[in-house]
Amino acid sequence: MRHPKNPQMPDGGAPGRVPASIALASFTSSVDRFAVSPLLVFLAVDLGASLEEAVAVAGAYFLAYGFTQPLWGGLSDRFGRMRVMRIALTGSVVFGLLSAIAPTLPLLIVFRCLTGACFGGVIPTAITFIGDTVPPLRRQAALADNMAAIAVGTAIATAAAGVVGETVGWRLMFALPPVLAVGCIVALWTTAEPPLPARRPLLGAFAEALRHRWMLAVIGLVFVEGAVVLGLLTLLAPALQDQGLDASVAGLAVAAYGVSTLACSRLVRPILRRLSVPATMALGGAGMVAGYAAVAVHVSVPTVAFAAAALGWTWALLHTSLQVWATEVLPGLRGTAVALFAASLFAGSSVGALVAGPFADAGQWGWLFGATAAMAAVLLGLVVVAQRRYLGSVPTS
């Protein structure tokens, strides 16, 4: 294993910077995850299914993505971040290509489930890597940089998926991320492993993490965030398509999420210099409340674009704050802690998408988004109160 030149950055780069190989892997995972939303209607038509059945493609992906996180986290604590990421990307290549040629909806659901399980090892491992290599005071800014790469992938995927699905076909869109993943595998060979914590029994590590009250608080909060933000974000494009708009327009409107996340991630550093973490969380969380309230009143291109942009604001400010919290709670079990965090996030997104599916199929958009706005408001209050109590419980040096 190549030894780092700089103890804070395994590639010898400047402290607080994310290696390009890590950012590229996060970008690729994001492209694969967010391409599905504008393709759901095409899937339903091409494979002879209802929209509710097609939503299961996204739901199964998110479910597998979430529930495999603890395994990936435990493995990364034992065998190394880069080794786990390369293995995960290799599986993503295989099952991603199989998804692109799946002849039936049941097979597509299976292959997308397996693809999600493999891509699930990428971004949480990247977050853990940043937690290992970036000093605490610079960590949220570094996470925001990595989120910028994720946001670019999100914007490209949501904007391109509708156009590609409408002109060439949804299968090509599923084939692109595996090709990118091959490049990621090559790039990661030059990224050194950070020092690993002392090995502990896998089940013992999870048991210890799940006995920690603040770890439980973080994973509970991020579960609700996953349902509210990611689960319902998946249905913004179908909501527009249900109004008679084509997939390319819907995809471009939802692409405001990625553009907003990218732009807002650049604001994290200056905001953190002026506001406390709870205040930053409150500011970010207000976006999801306002966004869903707008589409609850009326579903249109402007309101969907506003909601998507508002969710990008939430993701840049609220979610990075939760990510930092997850890396700090159990530093000796950081891989396991971040994996549980990510598992809860994507389990929540899966539950959100699956629960909302019947209402989406019935076209009950106003009720659905209104209820989501109310849930977002409750989540916002809980997050701010919990973070204040956590900060009050941590000894100051």
Side-chain angles (χ1 to χ4, degrees), residues 280-339:
T280 301
M281 287 177 151
L283 189 63
M288 60 183 173
V289 179
Y292 285 122
V295 286
V297 173
H298 181 59
V299 175
S300 65
V301 171
T303 58
V304 166
F306 170 76
L311 290 174
W313 168 261
T314 295
W315 203 245
L317 296 182
L318 176 60
H319 187 67
T320 56
S321 299
L322 289 170
Q323 283 181 339
V324 171
W325 196 356
T327 66
E328 293 174 347
V329 172
L330 292 169
L333 290 172
R334 186 172 283 124
T336 300
V338 171

Side-chain angles (χ1 to χ4, degrees), residues 4-20:
K5 299 175 188 176
N6 185 307
Q8 293 296 339
M9 289 301 296
D11 63 350
R17 292 295 177 185
V18 180

Side-chain angles (χ1 to χ4, degrees), residues 254-289:
V254 178
Y257 169 80
V259 175
S260 174
T261 304
L262 176 60
C264 296
S265 67
R266 304 300 84 199
L267 300 176
V268 170
R269 283 183 175 89
I271 288 174
L272 285 172
R273 285 196 293 265
R274 292 167 174 81
L275 298 179
S276 66
V277 175
T280 301
M281 287 177 151
L283 189 63
M288 60 183 173
V289 179

Side-chain angles (χ1 to χ4, degrees), residues 38 158-159 162 236-241 245-256 301 304:
T158 50
L236 287 178
L240 275 179
Q241 290 170 276
L245 295 170
D246 60 36
S248 58
V249 173
L252 287 171
V254 178
V301 171
V304 166

Side-chain angles (χ1 to χ4, degrees), residues 12-294:
R17 292 295 177 185
V18 180
S21 57
I22 298 295
L24 178 61
S26 297
F27 166 85
T28 301
S29 178
S30 179
V31 170
D32 190 73
R33 190 165 76 251
F34 283 94
V36 68
S37 178
L39 300 176
L40 290 176
V41 172
F42 295 117
L43 292 175
V45 173
D46 190 41
L47 299 176
S50 67
L51 178 58
E52 181 180 353
E53 292 170 332
V55 167
V57 174
Y61 183 101
F62 290 141
L63 197 65
Y65 195 110
F67 283 146
T68 56
Q69 303 296 318
L71 175 62
W72 289 119
L75 292 174
S76 78
D77 274 344
R78 292 178 67 84
F79 301 111
R81 317 306 185 199
M82 295 303 96
R83 183 180 299 177
V84 162
M85 196 176 287
R86 289 193 293 266
I87 292 171
L89 286 166
T90 300
S92 302
V93 172
V94 173
F95 296 117
L97 292 175
L98 287 173
S99 297
I101 62 173
T104 65
L105 183 64
L107 278 176
L108 178 61
I109 292 172
V110 170
F111 291 140
R112 289 305 291 167
C113 180
L114 293 170
T115 305
C118 292
F119 267 123
V122 176
I123 291 178
T125 306
I127 295 169
T128 305
F129 179 93
I130 292 167
D132 289 340
T133 59
V134 178
L137 291 178
R138 300 180 180 179
R139 194 170 294 158
Q140 186 161 356
L143 288 168
D145 288 341
N146 193 61
M147 183 172 288
I150 296 170
V152 172
T154 302
I156 290 175
T158 50
V163 176
V164 172
E166 200 162 41
T167 57
V168 182
W170 58 270
R171 296 182 187 277
L172 176 62
M173 201 63 211
F174 280 159
L176 290 177
V179 175
L180 292 173
V182 173
C184 295
I185 294 168
V186 174
L188 286 168
W189 284 108
T190 63
T191 305
E193 291 279 3
L196 292 177
R199 289 190 177 186
R200 306 188 195 186
L202 191 61
L203 293 179
F206 288 122
E208 181 178 343
L210 292 173
R211 285 195 300 266
H212 195 286
R213 68 180 180 122
W214 287 117
M215 187 74 249
L216 291 174
V218 173
I219 63 178
L221 291 169
V222 83
F223 177 90
V224 181
E225 184 200 33
V228 169
V229 179
L230 296 185
L232 272 295
L233 174 65
T234 305
L235 294 174
L236 287 178
L240 275 179
Q241 290 170 276
D242 193 47
Q243 311 304 308
L245 295 170
D246 60 36
S248 58
V249 173
L252 287 171
V254 178
Y257 169 80
V259 175
S260 174
T261 304
L262 176 60
C264 296
S265 67
R266 304 300 84 199
L267 300 176
V268 170
R269 283 183 175 89
I271 288 174
L272 285 172
R273 285 196 293 265
R274 292 167 174 81
L275 298 179
S276 66
V277 175
T280 301
M281 287 177 151
L283 189 63
M288 60 183 173
V289 179
Y292 285 122

